[in-house]
Amino acid sequence: MSKEEGSSSLAPDLKAQIDETLEEITTPCVLELLGLPLTDEYQTKRKEGLQGVRNILSAVRGRSASAIA
């Protein structure tokens, strides 16, 4: 088996592991950003947290739609 053939079978597994790890750490990171003080100093970081919530909800909505289909 060539090096390319072996790596192509590892790529989906590696991608799945990366996706799973990102899902595990995303929610706590988003909550930490949203928990920052309500001062102008942290406004940008809180906006990033809000965008993270939107991303999570969008991903959940996408999974729900594909499960129904």
Side-chain angles (χ1 to χ4, degrees):
M1 175 165 45
S2 73
K3 188 174 184 177
E4 290 86 19
E5 290 171 353
S7 65
S8 67
S9 66
L10 291 176
D13 291 337
L14 182 58
K15 183 183 180 318
Q17 287 177 339
I18 291 169
D19 288 344
E20 183 177 325
T21 301
L22 288 173
E23 285 180 17
E24 290 173 2
I25 64 172
T26 297
T27 302
C29 290
V30 165
L31 292 175
E32 184 177 331
L33 291 172
L34 293 175
L36 291 171
L38 299 175
T39 60
D40 290 342
E41 178 182 358
Y42 296 104
Q43 184 176 9
T44 301
K45 291 292 184 185
R46 288 193 328 274
K47 284 182 180 179
E48 290 173 11
L50 184 57
Q51 185 58 50
V53 169
R54 289 180 180 130
N55 291 343
I56 292 169
L57 292 174
S58 176
V60 169
R61 213 175 302 132
R63 279 189 239 146
S64 297
S66 64
I68 294 170

